[in-house]
Structures are given as structure tokens and as C-alpha cells.
Amino acid sequence: MRKTVNAGYYIPYFLWLTLFVVAPVVLICYQSFFDTNGHFTLTNYVEYFQSGTYLAMTFNSVWYALIITAVTLLVSYPAAYFLHYTKHKQLWLLLLIMPTWINLLLKAYAFIGILGKHGALNNVLGVLGLAPHQFLFTDAAFILVAAYIEIPFMILPIFNAIEELNEGLINASKDLGASGWQTFTRVVLPLSMSGVKSGVQAVFIPSLSLFMLTRLIGGNRVITLGTAIEEHFLTTMNWGMGSTIGVVLIVAMVIIMLLTSERQHRKGRVIHRA
């Protein structure tokens, strides 16, 4: 007997989706076709794709997002893998998630205190008799802090994917004579790629539009599309150009989601048919 679901239960969900997801995207797309005088124009898009400055910002955004995602993945996958075989793994997982409860601005200022010229790291170097270094306002500091903030969002999907693995497949691989490395590369890694793809989505997409860390940690040496949007909306008040850059970011995010999810669906269909 089929259970009937009251359609009224869906109203709050659709209202939330419409007001806070669909409406902002529609407004950004609409505003991107107007100049500072409120006239309809395509100049914003023409200027964006013909400007070397905006194209360089686009390249920087994608490049830094790739580096942050790669660093986060290199740290998160081994951590999630060993966490799977660790006692009290739920406790350790909770400790890894706890930094996400702290406000991003507070974490940024904490790293300023650690990496600053008179910060904790340079104080340790002074005790060891080494000269202080300028760690803050560098590309390395920006990547380090961004990767630290994004690590929990990469670990969680990978950990869940490894948790769902059938241990019988791993034991069968070992029984058939496969080494530990062969079992990992041919059984564990392929079967946990869904978690890797979800983690890449969760890290790469937000990393495209970072702007607070570029100012506080990168010292405006790292210029991305996120900082350009902030400048246009809050400083130059050119909302049309800021919206145009926002539309470009939305398109880039959709492309990344398609690249990391569509192949997975196709693979699932092939396996299902087989």
C-alpha cells in the first residue's frame, strides 16, 4: 500500500530554495546585463573576455583552487584511510570536524598570530637561534591556511566512501596474492573514488571564490575573482561587472560539478547493465 505524502510538507523547502538559491542567481544574471547607469548592455561580458586583467584573475583563481584541492587531497586521503582502521575513529573524526565550528574570520586571525613577523612561529625560530622570516602575506601561507580550512570537507566524503567498502573484497584481494599496495591501488582507491569526487567538489568550488583569506593571509598578493567581485560591489560600486564575474564563477562551478559527477553516473549505468 503506497503512502500518500502531503504536498504541504514541500512548501518550506521550495520557498527556501526559491528565495535563497534561485532568486539570487537570477538577480546576478539579470544585473550582469546593466552598466553603472542602469542601461542594458553586453559591454560587461565583452570587457571581461577581452581584458587581460580579468583573464589573469580567472587563471589565478583556477590555479590556486587546483593547488588548494591537491594539497587538501594529499593530506585528507591518507588521514581518512588510516582513520578507518583506528580505534575510537568516531572520536578522532569529531576532533577533525571541530575546526569547522569556528568562524572563518577567527581562524584567519589565529593564523595571523602564528605566521606574523612577531608571531608564534618566528618566536620558536628565535629560540632556536634562527632569523625571523616573513611567512605571512605569501602564496605559501595562503595555500596553507586555505587547505587547513578545507581539509574537513575533503576528509568526510572520503572517510564515508572507505567506510562503505566491502571488506570481503579487500580480503579476497589479499587471499589471491595481491600485495598491500596492489590491494590499495586496484581495490580500495577505485571503489572510494566517489568520495574523492565529492571531496573535490566540496573544496575546489569554494576555493574559486575565496576573498577574505586573500586579503588577511595573502596580503592582496593573491588576486582572484572573489577579490574582484568584492571590489566591484563594495568599492567601485560597479554591480554589473561584479555580477558578470559572479556569472562566470557560477558557470565554472557547474562545469566542475559535471566533470566530477557525470562520469560516475555513466559508470554506474554500465555496471548496472552488466
Side-chain angles (χ1 to χ4, degrees), residues 6-26:
N6 191 347
Y9 295 151
Y10 295 102
I11 293 178
Y13 169 76
F14 284 114
L15 285 176
W16 178 273
L17 191 66
T18 302
L19 293 176
F20 298 104
V21 178
V22 177
V25 173
V26 172

Side-chain angles (χ1 to χ4, degrees), residues 8 64 83 85 88 99 104 118 125 133 150 156 164 166-167 181 189 192 198-199 201 205 235 240 254 257 262 266:
Y64 282 112
L83 186 64
Y85 295 101
H88 311 295
L104 176 61
H118 302 287
L125 293 179
H133 287 74
E150 300 288 356
L156 277 175
E164 294 175 357
N166 187 348
E167 289 293 333
W181 177 250
L189 185 59
S192 61
S198 299
Q201 286 184 1
I205 292 177
T235 304
V254 171
M257 292 183 66
E262 186 65 20
R266 291 178 180 175

